[in-house]
Amino acid sequence: MSDLAYRRELDGVRAIAVLSVVLFHVGYPDMLGGFVGVDIFFVLSGYLICGQTYMRLEQGTYSVTEFFARRIRRLSTAYALCFLVTALLANAFFLRSEMGLVADGFLGSITFTNNFNLLNSVGYFSAPAHENPFLHTWSLSIEEQFYIVLPMLILLTRRNRTVFAWLLGVLFVASLALTLFSGDLIYDREERFFSSTFRVWELAAGGLVFLVTYHRLIPDRVPLMPLVGLALVIAPVNLLDASYLYPGWATLLPVLGTVILIAFAAPGHSWIAKALAVRPMAYIGRISYGTYLWHWPVIVGALYYGVTLTDEIRAVLVLVSLGLGALSYHVVEMPIRRISVRGAGKTRLYMLFAGQALVLLGVAVYLMQQPGKAAAGEDARLEALKAEVMNVHDGWNRCWDKTTPATFCKLGVPGETPDYVLWGDSMANSAFAALDDYGKARDETGFLITRAACAPLLGAGTKEECIAFNDRIFAYLDEAAPMDVVMFARWSYYSEGSGHGGDRPGSVPLLRADGSVAKDGFALFEESLNAAIARVAARHRVIVINHVPEFLESVPKSMLRTMRFGSEPLHLSREAFDERRGRTIEAVARAAEENGALHVAPHELFCDDGVCHHEVDGIPLFIDNVHLGPKGNEVLLFVLNEALKKEGRP
């Protein structure tokens, strides 16, 4: 017997691997380490391929041509169809100036070199990489490289299975040592992710666990080991993220976990193995190859069209990916697998591969000609729009949740004593540039005080943590020297309870200081905003910035979609904006005026002639549907300065 016995529980492990990758790619926040699914695949592939190879060497039946025929039968037709459909759809919908990325990815994918292509171009976790429909094929390229090199090494060692076993050990030790101890001497943290050198040990680990189990060098059963293996496979999905040097020490977790499951999880004596072998898990494992092939083009297509990844959309994308994986398995993969790898069947497989290769190479040549057909200035306009998607300031992430002068992010000119503070939720954070330039123009020092989903209200908030945060800020302001306090928030989020995840009023409850939910959220909003302004105004000059227009979808993404597909441009009438947010705007203005604060109304400039503007000269004012971009900050600063002049204030 030269084939490994089918192990249904390993299909269950494959299911964990592919679901981890797909859920990570669609953006579920609890799956930030889902990229480890690829490491699981590498170990499983090493186990199966090296195991079958070793057994055939042992029996003297190893054939290089049959080995390649099996790889063609297992992999080539499914990926050829996926790559071809993806390339043709990209060619139909992508702008010509975007086709260079597609052409490079397609050529790298069909020649099994895409990991090198990506290694020299862009990082796996960077935003531009997520526009590449062939990004995911880097792992397939590494596996194919292994399948090409392995037979060559076997021939060089004269088909000696002992030498083959030692060779696996040497590859494992050398590759693992480089992965763990080379740091950035060979590749930087972005490049190493795609490096074959840092992945060989994972494939070799699969081969070594086969040898250990095949020769019964370890016991079949070790209590609790399958549970440990499962934990090591699943935990990194939740614990790891893009901040880790990867592959590196953290990669030992999923690799070791997979090795343990292969070695000790057998349905006959392990309930973990029985759970992995249940029909749904085993089936997802069987369709995992097709699911992996199709899931990323599906996600890229959705993002390219400008779809916002809500949880509902994420679930749809996962189901579509699984559906395409099932279709690939039943319609493409299984019929091809019935072809023999011997005699006429082998010839047929090689002819099929040659035909596919010629078609794919022809398509590659065609795709490489497309970037030269881009319209004049198209590339510059495209890149300018892409750059505005979530174009936050450099300190966006580090400015959250600071409560002391030593930790506040600084605005304006350097200094220890502030002349003003900007206080609010993410809207305040998005206005960093405007208030930074405000201080520099006046030679003043400022602080940014910001917490997400936490407006400057007294005794109310969307979460108890927000109320506690604000209490600390009020305590700071009660003791601070007199200054200007600029309050800015997405006020309707608190007054109407709408904003995130749609425009449904009441979806975000406003809490009282005791944690109870207010029956009348709007009344509590008015009360708490008035109290906040009054308390701060007793010691400081208060400036309240009212609402800016908010759109139902991302402004730069909508503009990109219009540019790419000629779709209807984004439009928000002043009437529609006033109908949605007029009550809140009036309440904020009233609270400012009744407590002697300066009221700034940016919506009066953002909206004119019956229309609320989302761009100026083709440049978006917003980085998403409401937060201000660089151009929006310019408008806000102008409005703020005009309001100060009107009041006769410096």
Side-chain angles (χ1 to χ4, degrees), residues 44 50 92 221 453 535 559 588:
L44 290 172
C50 294
R221 304 184 188 186
R535 178 166 171 176
M559 294 175 68
V588 173

Side-chain angles (χ1 to χ4, degrees), residues 546-566:
N546 214 319
H547 240 292
V548 298
E550 54 183 6
F551 297 83
L552 296 181
E553 58 182 310
S554 167
V555 169
K557 286 183 179 179
S558 175
M559 294 175 68
L560 277 169
R561 186 165 64 249
T562 299
M563 182 179 180
R564 288 164 168 165
F565 301 101

Side-chain angles (χ1 to χ4, degrees), residues 374-514:
E378 178 184 280
D379 188 60
R381 294 197 305 275
L382 178 69
E383 292 306 316
L385 281 178
K386 286 182 181 179
E388 292 302 311
V389 178
M390 289 309 297
N391 183 17
V392 297
H393 64 91
D394 292 340
W396 174 270
N397 289 320
R398 71 170 183 270
C399 291
W400 301 115
D401 305 329
K402 309 305 181 186
T403 57
T404 63
T407 59
F408 293 145
C409 283
K410 304 302 188 291
L411 301 166
V413 299
E416 297 301 322
T417 303
D419 301 292
Y420 67 100
V421 297
L422 169 61
W423 179 19
D425 59 9
S426 56
M427 291 304 301
N429 205 349
S430 79
F432 179 96
L435 273 294
D436 187 44
D437 289 343
Y438 169 90
K440 289 174 180 176
R442 290 167 170 74
D443 196 31
E444 293 181 354
T445 298
F447 291 160
L448 171 61
I449 304 173
T450 184
R451 180 182 172 90
C454 188
L457 304 176
L458 180 59
T462 56
K463 294 181 179 179
E464 292 182 49
E465 295 85 353
C466 168
I467 298 172
F469 173 85
N470 282 342
D471 286 343
R472 290 192 290 273
I473 303 306
F474 281 117
Y476 159 69
L477 292 175
D478 287 344
E479 300 297 327
M483 61 177 133
D484 288 345
V485 177
V486 182
M487 296 180 174
F488 186 27
R490 190 177 184 179
W491 303 111
S492 62
Y493 183 64
Y494 313 93
S495 64
E496 304 284 356
S498 64
H500 287 338
D503 205 35
R504 300 183 299 274
S507 59
V508 182
L510 194 63
L511 307 180
R512 298 184 181 278
D514 61 5

Side-chain angles (χ1 to χ4, degrees), residues 143 170 187 249 272 455 503 517 623:
E143 284 202 31
V170 170
Y187 298 115
W249 287 94
I272 293 291
D503 205 35
V517 177
I623 59 175

Side-chain angles (χ1 to χ4, degrees), residues 495 510 512 518 520-530 583:
S495 64
L510 194 63
R512 298 184 181 278
D520 187 345
F522 195 90
L524 177 58
F525 167 76
E526 286 190 290
E527 175 188 326
S528 58
L529 179 59
N530 269 282
R583 186 167 74 139

